[in-house]
Amino acid sequence: MRIRKHPGRAVRLLAVTAVGALLATVAACGGGGSGEDGNVTIRFDYWGSAERAKATNDAIALFEQANPGIKVESSFSDFGGYFQKLATQVAGGSAPDVLQMDYSYVREYADRGVLAQLDSGEAQVQTSGLSQQLLSGGSVDSKLFAIPIAQNTQMFSYDAAQWEKVGATEPTDTWKWSDLQAAAQKVTDGTGKKVYGLNDFGGVLDWFEVWLRQQGKQLYTEDGKLGYTEADVTAWWKLSDSWRTSGAVTPAEITTKIDGTQENDPVAQKKSSATFGYDSGFTPKLWEQYGRELTATSFPTDTGKRGQFAKPAMMLSIAQRSDNKKAAAKLVDFLIHDTSAGTALGMSRGLPADEKVRELVGATLQGPPKAAYEYEQKVLATLDTAPPPPPKGAGEVKVAFQRVYDDVIFGRATVEASATKFISEAQRAISS
């Protein structure tokens, strides 16, 4: 999972700037209104595809049927466009009553007073059926500002048939990083470098975070500081760099093209046999798109700590300035906890966060989503609590981690010099 280098960063900076500069001018709620007959109209905005929109509209229709006094107007766009539009809406006092929220933005919007508290007051939403592991990802300073509607976790996925063909040893529940390196090298050597063992993982901050947690450290401290040192970055990049040098992972010219799209994914192109990812990436047509099946398993570890955690895939928040917080809270509650809504939404946002809804939907799954569900059920008890939402500037840190790592894989700088450069950029990003 590599980041799209320039567009995502630009979009994020624009959104943050717009909110920060204009929030103080917000004068009124721009959500729906209350009619003289007591009926209310609320707005719900989210990011997603046409497929997700259809599922959402079906769920909203069920909500309106169960709550005849509440009408819901909804709209959707792509991820970047959504947060650009949201920043403008917030600045202009026209934020939707209910808004889909991403884990990486919770702290920024909560700190700026945009989000209503969801564990008390008018906007309170019940949280039964949701694990505390997951809820912590929507909490800032012990107050809940976003509730997960779906969850995922980190995984390692590989082409088991190809591994067997070249004699690579299959992962076990106790496998170590050296076991993965040996297996990956087998694939690369066994295919004459036509297929590399796995995608180079060194430039992905998310996988560095899992490794850090295996060492008993964290990406960010509770007060939003870096939870690791230059020495940690050096150790991680030396690990991946040695694998690249031996050919166990993809070479620089392939790695640098990885941007999260299927057309640049070495696994999809059959240039790599494995990768780290999130289980929500096991979408319904994945096997068909890859032309083969992948097997999901946990990360290797040398410490006995797995380092993986239950991550909110998507969350729902309510605008602090909404005039209809109670109606908005009813909609959030319905979308997360109601079984009929869960059936309508299916896997459109990932595995449902509510336990009973997840079991109901899980029983209906086939193909890759079923494999993701079974994997998550297997590892659920071993997952850590989600860390608090990252600080402002965390998105820039993620981009810098990938960009500076390119200097390592192309030999433009030593690992040590690159780690020094990255730490400097990261500290500047979260302190600005």
Side-chain angles (χ1 to χ4, degrees), residues 163-334:
W163 279 37
E164 182 178 7
K165 189 175 180 180
V166 300
T169 302
E170 296 262 342
T172 66
D173 290 341
T174 58
W175 72 323
K176 300 181 182 298
W177 284 93
S178 58
D179 297 327
L180 172 56
Q181 182 181 17
Q185 195 69 51
K186 275 268 189 184
V187 174
T188 301
D189 295 344
T191 61
K193 292 191 176 180
K194 289 181 180 176
V195 180
Y196 290 89
L198 75 156
N199 294 356
D200 189 340
F201 49 85
V204 184
L205 195 68
D206 295 46
W207 317 148
F208 174 59
E209 181 177 21
V210 173
W211 179 83
L212 269 180
R213 294 169 69 89
Q214 292 178 355
Q215 321 307 313
K217 300 186 178 182
Q218 54 190 332
L219 207 54
Y220 297 104
T221 62
E222 291 286 336
D223 57 353
K225 308 294 184 186
L226 294 183
Y228 53 94
T229 66
E230 188 176 311
D232 295 315
V233 178
T234 298
W236 171 252
W237 280 349
K238 281 192 170 180
L239 175 74
S240 60
D241 191 50
S242 67
W243 292 28
R244 182 185 54 78
T245 303
S246 72
V249 300
T250 50
E253 57 271 20
I254 293 178
T255 302
T256 194
K257 294 177 182 175
I258 301 174
D259 60 1
T261 65
Q262 191 176 347
E263 56 265 30
N264 289 321
D265 179 359
V267 177
Q269 296 172 336
K270 296 187 172 56
K271 294 178 180 176
S272 170
S273 75
T275 188
F276 293 108
Y278 286 100
D279 55 21
S280 53
F282 271 19
T283 53
K285 294 186 180 299
L286 194 69
W287 299 165
E288 184 181 326
Q289 293 162 345
Y290 278 10
R292 53 182 169 165
E293 294 187 10
L294 300 181
T295 300
T297 192
S298 300
F299 274 50
T301 177
D302 294 339
T303 65
K305 296 177 182 176
R306 195 61 63 188
Q308 297 173 219
F309 56 90
K311 186 173 183 179
M314 292 179 199
M315 296 188 275
L316 297 179
S317 294
I318 295 173
Q320 174 61 27
R321 289 181 177 272
S322 169
D323 288 332
N324 297 303
K325 290 190 181 72
K326 287 186 177 178
K330 276 190 174 182
L331 175 63
V332 172
D333 183 276
F334 186 84

Side-chain angles (χ1 to χ4, degrees), residues 45 49 113 120 130 171 214 220 239 258 306 360 390 392 397 399 417:
D45 285 4
S49 61
S120 67
L130 304 179
Q214 292 178 355
Y220 297 104
L239 175 74
I258 301 174
R306 195 61 63 188
L360 179 70
K392 176 187 173 186
V397 174
V399 172

